[in-house]
Amino acid sequence: MKYPVEWLNEYLPKKLAAREMADAMELAGIEVEEISSHQLDDLIVIGKVKSVDPHPDADKLRIAVVDVKNSTSSIVCGAPNLEPGQTVAVAQAGAVMPDGMKITKTKIRGVESNGMICSEKELGLGDDHEGIMILPADLKAGSKASTILEGGEVIDATTAANRWDLNSLVGVVREIAAQVNQKMTFDAPAPIKSSKALKLGKVDGKLSGRYMLTRLSVEPGRQSPDWLVRRLRGAGVRPIGLVVDITNYVMLELGQPLHAFDASKTEGAIGVRLASKGEKLVTLDGKERSLHHADVVIADDKKALGLAGVMGAANSEVDDTTTEILLESATFNRAMIRQSALRHGLRSDASARFERGVPIDLQPIGLARATQLLQKYASGKIVAGPADFHSQKSTVTNISVRPERISRLLGFELSSSEIKKQLIKLDWVVKPSGSKLTVVAPWWRTEVKDEADVAEEVMKLEGYDKLPAKLPHWRPQEVQFDRFCAAKWQAKSVLRSLGWFETVTYSFISEKQLTDLGMKPESYLKLKNPMSSEQAYLRVSLLPSLLSATSVNRGYSREFGMFEFSKVYQKTADGKLPDEISVVAALVVAPNNGYRQVKSALDRLCYEFNVDVEVRPGAFHSKAAHPANSGMLYLNGQHAGVIGQLHPSAVSAQKLRGEVSFLELNWDKFLAAAKPKVYREISRFPSITRDLSVVVNRQVTWFEIEEALKDLAPQFIGDFYGKDLPEGKKVMTVRLEFSDLSRTLTDDEADAAASKALEILKNKFSAQLR
């Protein structure tokens, strides 16, 4: 939020420089982004548009004659909202704009232009650049634009999400005043009263904790005073008209969003309800919106008047002819307002405040302040009201505080009187209660709940420089070894040793990432309110994420690998949370032999953790996997992951070259299968090897052969497929190594052992010696 320094100083008895204010804000825990000063060149002046004619050689350009007091200037302008009689800001030849651009006389399509009629963006006062900036008609031609448009110094700061009060000038000044030992001078106006009651329609207490409405008459067509316009612009808000400007001013000043309806455009009593099925609404930005059944709306007896807490509707908009308004001050269900704003892509200044939670104590203050300003500047008179519905209680919190507990939390001794001295600077009430203190956290500090929160406030006022540089006295009651964490670091070391990079990707993926890999989006969990369409689904595999990261980094090298430890989310029964599964995945890009690299990584992990993983043929994704070079991983007969090469079409779709191979392993299952390694003595005597080449069915896997001969520790040499073999057969070569701890074995003994192994293969797989 932007805080104009001149506005902040209004509430302080002793004025502070911008730097002093920023320092105080930082000490109060408010993150200051920058201090900016907006100054306009003296050659940017006020002008009156006398006439507007079409450009002879350009359909979208027009020629305006502008009075700048002592002379008139002919200026070529392309703004669609340019009309005769307007008051505008004119940058004359020689003027330097806030962005550094210098204005010169020039010819545009053959017509001389003697300056520029400025938009908000060109003047550095906002983001609007679609049209020129229209100024109040009572400004004098030729006067310096800086006299009305300059906002002075502005502090731009970021506030914590749980501090709604810091989204207001008064809330920030309260913190500044406490830091510099001053007393804030803002006095809340007295509640408004009227002899005539105003009837409300039905208000759902689950949607609105408090809803207030009053009816006022206003003088139509009144202009906002210069000081009000200057402050709004300094805070980054575009002036619109007096009534709307006052509601925006009070929102910035107090943090209470307000809305004014043109009373003549409403029908019957106003209330708060949920949107009806199929209901539509044209908001103030001119867009028609199809409402969701969970949208909260303000409505009269016949129609919706606005999307509650977000934006009003065009059908009740206040304009220059409005003579009576219905002024609303309310608070709404914060979660529902946030969802509506996200659903419609319409996050406004009001919704940003309602999302943080506006307390019910603020509504009468905001309503009274706006009424006060309307009475003074719009000749406003209270016609009826205020009507007041509320379903919640005040948010004042009583906290029992032990001074010794505060001292222990902060690390240095503080007495009850020292604690009280600091808290009363923030207008908190502190009462002694025996050896304790009863601290009354005011209604504007809804996030303060316990002693730790009180300690934080005391510390901010005592000064963080008082914190002692020592560790607190703490000893764990019980130390437990985190096997999971240690094992993960061990596995990461293995994968890093292969030269692979560790990645961290989002758990969300897009629909396109799924469909590109032949995955069905309906099988995945879709988010109700995704941050963007690129993050609409929860992943059930790391393949889309790693493939996207690899595609982005494809220019790095022709050969590289990535791995990630993360979670995937398996869909469960409706209404239940998804299963979160820890996995480790790796993806390798290589000109060739990519599969060998991921298989080698799997073997290394199995060796490190003493796990037997079975690889069975099978495509892990119908479109993404290579039909011949992919498999499924099994642990103790249970599916535990996938391994293989990606299909060439999937590789080319990502603009990659060579082989792309993938490994994904259920880390929970893998770690559960890990066994301690058992070491045995190595024989000092020479060993004897025998190779067996046997003809078996093509369906026989190495894992099955290894299981059958596990007592002999077989080594896999290779498979052979040839035309001279019977159909459906292959040759598998197995190496057996024999040794004894006490002597050298004879050839006869080795042959006997090899014969025994062959017999086992014959019995289990009908193997024949090649």
Side-chain angles (χ1 to χ4, degrees):
M1 181 174 169
K2 295 180 177 180
Y3 306 90
V5 173
E6 173 243 355
W7 193 353
L8 291 170
N9 268 321
E10 180 182 328
Y11 311 116
L12 292 172
K14 294 181 181 179
K15 309 303 181 190
L16 296 176
R19 185 68 264 171
E20 292 175 305
M21 278 190 177
D23 290 342
M25 290 168 70
E26 290 278 9
L27 290 173
I30 304 169
E31 185 180 348
V32 175
E33 299 287 345
E34 67 172 344
I35 302 172
S36 60
S37 179
H38 186 262
Q39 295 180 334
L40 294 178
D41 193 295
D42 288 346
L43 288 175
I44 303 175
V45 298
I46 304 301
K48 304 282 185 178
V49 181
K50 294 299 184 183
S51 64
V52 179
D53 297 308
H55 192 289
D57 293 323
D59 294 338
K60 293 185 178 181
L61 297 179
R62 291 183 289 171
I63 305 169
V65 176
V66 185
D67 178 14
V68 288
K69 191 177 181 181
N70 297 325
S71 62
T72 58
S73 294
S74 177
I75 300 174
V76 177
C77 182
N81 63 333
L82 179 66
E83 299 292 342
Q86 291 173 335
T87 302
V88 296
V90 178
Q92 301 177 99
V96 178
M97 304 304 291
D99 63 359
M101 181 180 70
K102 188 173 182 178
I103 304 300
T104 59
K105 289 184 180 181
T106 186
K107 282 191 176 182
I108 302 176
R109 294 287 184 93
V111 176
E112 189 174 81
S113 181
N114 297 293
M116 180 174 69
I117 303 176
C118 305
S119 67
E120 282 186 8
K121 188 172 184 179
E122 289 160 342
L123 292 170
L125 298 171
D127 296 324
D128 189 357
H129 64 282
E130 295 182 359
I132 58 171
M133 183 177 176
I134 311 301
L135 300 175
D138 57 355
L139 297 178
K140 293 182 179 180
S143 59
K144 295 177 182 179
S146 59
T147 57
I148 182 172
L149 297 179
E150 277 190 8
E153 292 180 297
V154 175
I155 298 174
D156 195 350
T158 302
T159 59
N162 66 337
R163 290 293 303 274
W164 76 267
D165 59 308
L166 298 182
N167 265 28
S168 70
L169 274 292
V170 167
V172 170
V173 171
R174 186 180 288 114
E175 298 288 335
I176 293 172
Q179 289 290 337
V180 298
N181 293 313
Q182 291 193 43
K183 188 72 174 177
M184 184 176 69
T185 57
F186 176 80
D187 294 319
I192 59 175
K193 296 179 180 179
S194 172
S195 58
K196 189 173 181 180
L198 180 65
K199 183 182 178 183
L200 279 178
K202 184 178 178 181
V203 178
D204 189 333
K206 294 180 181 178
L207 309 180
S208 175
R210 188 168 194 174
Y211 191 84
M212 298 185 71
L213 196 70
T214 191
R215 191 179 186 116
L216 297 102
S217 65
V218 294
E219 186 177 322
R222 291 283 290 271
Q223 298 291 323
S224 298
D226 292 351
W227 65 267
L228 178 59
V229 171
R230 185 175 64 252
R231 288 184 177 181
L232 289 179
R233 291 194 187 282
V237 175
R238 181 169 61 92
I240 297 172
L242 180 58
V243 172
V244 177
D245 289 350
I246 286 174
T247 61
N248 284 335
Y249 181 86
V250 174
M251 177 185 69
L252 295 171
E253 183 182 52
L254 300 176
Q256 173 63 58
L258 303 169
H259 187 74
F261 306 95
D262 187 324
S264 66
K265 299 175 183 177
T266 62
E267 303 172 88
I270 292 178
V272 183
R273 61 171 172 82
L274 289 173
S276 304
K277 185 178 181 180
E279 191 169 11
K280 296 183 182 296
L281 182 72
V282 179
T283 47
L284 288 171
D285 57 2
K287 295 181 180 179
E288 184 179 76
R289 303 182 185 275
S290 298
L291 300 181
H292 188 271
H293 63 81
D295 287 332
V296 184
V297 296
I298 310 300
D300 59 19
D301 292 342
K302 299 290 182 67
K303 61 186 179 298
L305 300 174
L307 192 57
V310 182
M311 187 176 283
N315 59 19
S316 57
E317 182 179 7
V318 172
D319 55 34
D320 288 342
T321 64
T322 300
T323 57
E324 279 198 5
I325 63 170
L326 288 163
L327 186 61
E328 167 196 277
S329 181
T331 185
F332 301 103
N333 183 305
R334 57 195 293 184
M336 298 184 77
I337 298 304
R338 181 177 184 275
Q339 289 165 1
S340 287
L342 286 171
R343 194 158 36 236
H344 296 282
L346 193 62
R347 198 165 188 269
S348 61
D349 288 333
S351 69
R353 286 165 172 80
F354 283 124
E355 287 172 17
R356 296 187 176 202
V358 177
I360 65 166
D361 306 80
L362 184 59
Q363 283 77 68
I365 301 172
L367 192 63
R369 177 61 169 153
T371 302
Q372 182 187 61
L373 293 172
L374 287 167
Q375 289 171 332
K376 185 174 182 179
Y377 296 102
S379 301
K381 294 180 181 178
I382 301 172
V383 176
D388 187 357
F389 166 88
H390 54 275
S391 60
Q392 296 178 1
K393 296 181 180 179
S394 175
T395 49
V396 172
T397 306
N398 293 317
I399 304 167
S400 179
V401 172
R402 297 160 291 175
E404 63 274 13
R405 173 63 175 162
I406 301 296
S407 299
R408 192 161 60 249
L409 285 170
L410 299 183
F412 60 94
E413 292 297 321
L414 281 171
S415 64
S416 297
S417 59
E418 288 173 320
I419 294 171
K420 180 178 179 180
K421 175 186 174 182
Q422 299 300 351
L423 293 177
I424 60 176
K425 292 179 183 178
L426 293 167
D427 295 331
W428 291 26
V429 176
V430 183
K431 305 172 185 176
S433 179
S435 61
K436 301 179 181 179
L437 295 172
T438 298
V439 174
V440 183
W443 59 264
W444 59 82
R445 294 300 301 274
T446 53
E447 86 289 355
V448 175
K449 303 295 182 185
D450 53 31
E451 287 177 301
D453 296 327
V454 175
E456 182 182 2
E457 297 306 310
V458 173
M459 189 68 256
K460 286 191 294 189
L461 294 168
E462 283 285 342
Y464 288 107
D465 56 331
K466 285 190 177 182
L467 280 173
K470 65 178 182 180
L471 291 173
H473 295 289
W474 174 84
R475 294 187 185 279
Q477 297 299 313
E478 183 179 354
V479 177
Q480 292 183 342
F481 179 72
D482 189 345
R483 179 171 176 262
F484 181 88
C485 185
K488 186 162 74 170
W489 280 105
Q490 185 180 356
K492 284 184 178 183
S493 297
V494 170
L495 299 175
R496 288 195 194 102
S497 71
L498 300 172
W500 295 352
F501 299 99
E502 183 178 3
T503 65
V504 179
T505 59
Y506 287 111
S507 296
F508 313 113
I509 52 178
S510 67
E511 183 174 344
K512 185 177 185 303
Q513 284 177 283
L514 294 173
T515 54
D516 283 352
L517 294 172
M519 303 174 183
K520 296 179 180 179
E522 57 268 20
S523 302
Y524 290 69
L525 286 163
K526 187 174 184 180
L527 302 180
K528 286 186 176 180
N529 295 302
M531 291 184 285
S532 71
S533 60
E534 297 300 310
Q535 299 180 340
Y537 292 86
L538 276 173
R539 63 190 179 191
V540 299
S541 169
L542 294 187
L543 176 58
S545 302
L546 287 181
L547 196 57
S548 177
T550 305
S551 179
V552 171
N553 290 278
R554 64 182 182 272
Y556 170 76
S557 174
R558 292 183 61 200
E559 183 172 354
F560 63 95
M562 293 182 176
F563 73 91
E564 179 174 2
F565 279 83
S566 191
K567 289 188 176 181
V568 295
Y569 304 87
Q570 293 285 356
K571 202 172 183 179
T572 55
D574 290 342
K576 292 186 178 181
L577 292 173
D579 289 333
E580 296 187 24
I581 302 169
S582 295
V583 298
V584 56
L587 193 142
V588 172
V589 179
N592 48 53
N593 295 328
Y595 175 75
R596 289 190 178 185
Q597 291 191 45
V598 293
K599 180 59 168 65
S600 173
L602 177 63
D603 292 342
R604 287 279 303 277
L605 289 173
C606 290
Y607 174 78
E608 286 288 329
F609 293 93
N610 198 19
V611 176
D612 294 324
V613 173
E614 179 185 1
V615 181
R616 298 180 187 174
F620 45 87
H621 293 302
S622 58
K623 187 177 178 181
H626 194 290
N629 297 337
S630 58
M632 314 296 282
L633 303 180
Y634 286 83
L635 282 169
N636 300 322
Q638 293 185 331
H639 180 257
V642 297
I643 189 171
Q645 186 180 327
L646 265 62
H647 196 285
S649 63
V651 175
S652 60
Q654 299 294 327
K655 299 181 180 179
L656 298 171
R657 293 182 180 180
E659 288 185 10
V660 178
S661 299
F662 180 66
L663 164 68
E664 185 168 67
L665 185 62
N666 185 314
W667 183 244
D668 292 329
K669 290 183 178 179
F670 184 80
L671 203 57
K675 303 181 291 292
K677 289 182 180 179
V678 178
Y679 295 91
R680 62 179 181 174
E681 183 184 353
I682 298 174
S683 175
R684 295 173 297 161
F685 300 94
S687 61
I688 300 175
T689 59
R690 291 289 185 268
D691 290 346
L692 295 178
S693 292
V694 292
V695 179
V696 293
N697 291 329
R698 288 196 177 192
Q699 291 76 21
V700 176
T701 65
W702 164 244
F703 185 83
E704 292 173 313
I705 297 290
E706 188 179 33
E707 279 292 302
L709 303 178
K710 60 183 177 181
D711 292 338
L712 300 173
Q715 301 174 42
F716 177 68
I717 301 302
D719 288 341
F720 173 74
Y721 302 85
K723 293 181 180 179
D724 58 333
L725 293 175
E727 186 176 351
K729 298 290 185 178
K730 67 177 178 180
V731 174
M732 183 175 285
T733 302
V734 178
R735 175 164 294 168
L736 304 173
E737 187 173 357
F738 308 104
S739 65
D740 191 277
L741 295 176
S742 60
R743 63 187 177 85
T744 300
L745 296 175
T746 65
D747 287 338
D748 291 340
E749 289 175 315
D751 291 340
S755 298
K756 181 180 177 183
L758 180 60
E759 194 66 26
I760 293 172
L761 296 178
K762 285 181 179 180
N763 292 335
K764 287 200 171 186
F765 308 109
S766 300
Q768 297 295 322
L769 190 64
R770 172 71 167 172

